[in-house]
Amino acid sequence: MSVQERLADTLYGVGWSTVKKLPEPVAVRLGRTVADLAWKQRGTGVRRLEGNYARVVPGASPQRLAALSRAGMRSYLRYWMESFRLPAWSAERVRAGFAPKDLHHLTDGLDAGKGVILALPHLANWDLAGAWVTTKLGIPFTTVAERLKPETLYDRFVAYREGLGMEVLPHSGGSAFGTLARRLRDGGLVCLVADRDLSASGVEVDFFGETARMPAGPALLAQQTGALLLPVTLWYDDSPVMQGRVHPPVGVPESGTRAEKTSAMTQALADAFATGIADHPEDWHMLQRLWLKDLDPAKAPAAGERGAP
């Protein structure tokens, strides 16, 4: 384990062991302070965030982009403060922490005996949304996590999410797709963060007027299992309660090859994601390169679920 990996593991361990013990107002102030310090330093992540926001808000002035990136870092650190504290939240606090709209798309699909795939972008706090599903609705689900380095850090994330009631599969290894398909055929729920391809073999989509790659998995699972594919977008407002919307199902085209169907469905996901991101750009925590123009063509997209705070 390298020194950098050991440091990352230690910092996350301190976060989960210490921040969760803080009174909520103290944790909120701490998150905002850390966010503002990081924003003022204008490191790689902040500059990349502004570059991504420039696509989302075309024509924005440098002052507007700077204000957006500051709000984005505050939103990003809110995610981390909430995530560090989620294991200590009461069931009632979790149930009161999220207010999704159009939830009937999810519940109707499950009541009909169909499997359901929820596909989300990196908006607000999907871990809180997942904890709400398992706690408020009492519905277990399966998700996938990237294998982080060091392995001990990956184990921390898996233990954290399993503690919130999720079944977590490793992104690598080749068996995740088959397990997800089995869960869906059994009428289960699968939740996938799906706005950034980690494999360098994703589907090209038009995203805010430029080409990006997004994972093919959600569309392929829907085709193979007959499960409903539902985009979900999340956002914060001025309250302690996260907001969200379950969008209408993305249908499987009646004609075309599997590749053509997958392309059309992934584009529909991208369009739904873009709607939510355009409405709440500061809650899109994309501190990595996404559009093909920004990627080194000689390299695969750099893996990373979220950068460290």
Side-chain angles (χ1 to χ4, degrees), residues 126-194:
W126 60 87
D127 285 328
L128 172 55
W132 186 89
V133 167
T134 61
T135 304
K136 173 75 172 181
L137 302 183
I139 299 171
F141 67 87
T142 304
T143 188
V144 173
E146 178 200 352
R147 277 203 174 276
L148 302 171
K149 290 184 178 181
E151 192 74 15
T152 51
L153 181 55
Y154 170 76
D155 292 340
R156 287 186 191 275
F157 272 96
V158 170
Y160 157 65
R161 287 177 174 142
E162 288 180 342
L164 299 177
M166 311 175 192
E167 179 188 20
V168 183
L169 307 176
H171 179 270
S172 59
S175 63
F177 188 91
T179 302
L180 294 173
R182 287 194 295 273
R183 299 291 182 269
L184 292 168
R185 290 192 185 99
D186 290 339
L189 176 63
V190 164
C191 299
L192 300 171
V193 180

Side-chain angles (χ1 to χ4, degrees), residues 54-265:
R55 263 66 173 246
V56 175
V57 188
S61 67
Q63 294 78 13
R64 167 66 171 146
L65 291 176
L68 264 181
S69 67
R70 185 177 191 181
M73 291 303 294
R74 288 182 171 185
S75 175
Y76 181 47
L77 264 294
R78 176 174 172 175
Y79 162 83
W80 281 110
M81 292 298 108
E82 287 179 346
S83 295
F84 288 144
R85 292 174 53 76
L86 262 177
W89 281 15
S90 67
E92 185 56 38
R93 176 71 179 86
V94 173
R95 287 193 288 265
F98 181 39
K101 299 173 176 61
D102 299 326
L103 188 65
H104 65 91
H105 292 304
L106 168 60
T107 54
D108 289 352
L110 292 173
D111 289 345
K114 291 186 174 182
V116 174
I117 306 157
L118 298 181
L120 307 88
H122 286 77
L123 274 169
N125 190 340
W126 60 87
D127 285 328
L128 172 55
W132 186 89
V133 167
T134 61
T135 304
K136 173 75 172 181
L137 302 183
I139 299 171
F141 67 87
T142 304
T143 188
V144 173
E146 178 200 352
R147 277 203 174 276
L148 302 171
K149 290 184 178 181
E151 192 74 15
T152 51
L153 181 55
Y154 170 76
D155 292 340
R156 287 186 191 275
F157 272 96
V158 170
Y160 157 65
R161 287 177 174 142
E162 288 180 342
L164 299 177
M166 311 175 192
E167 179 188 20
V168 183
L169 307 176
H171 179 270
S172 59
S175 63
F177 188 91
T179 302
L180 294 173
R182 287 194 295 273
R183 299 291 182 269
L184 292 168
R185 290 192 185 99
D186 290 339
L189 176 63
V190 164
C191 299
L192 300 171
V193 180
D195 60 342
R196 184 165 177 264
D197 179 52
L198 295 178
S199 67
S201 60
V203 178
E204 292 191 1
V205 295
D206 180 273
F207 197 51
F208 291 101
E210 293 189 30
T211 304
R213 275 196 209 98
M214 294 188 181
L220 289 172
L221 283 167
Q223 292 176 63
Q224 189 162 315
T225 67
L228 282 182
L229 176 54
L230 302 176
V232 177
T233 53
L234 310 172
W235 66 93
Y236 293 126
D237 57 17
D238 294 330
S239 76
V241 180
M242 184 175 71
Q243 306 298 312
R245 171 168 286 106
V246 182
H247 295 253
V250 172
V252 178
E254 294 183 0
S255 62
T257 65
R258 186 173 73 165
E260 290 169 342
K261 293 178 180 179
T262 301
S263 178
M265 296 172 72

Side-chain angles (χ1 to χ4, degrees), residues 8-31:
D9 184 50
T10 300
L11 289 175
Y12 280 104
V14 169
W16 269 303
S17 64
T18 303
V19 173
K20 71 179 180 182
K21 298 176 183 177
L22 297 175
E24 189 155 342
V26 175
V28 170
R29 288 196 298 272
L30 175 62

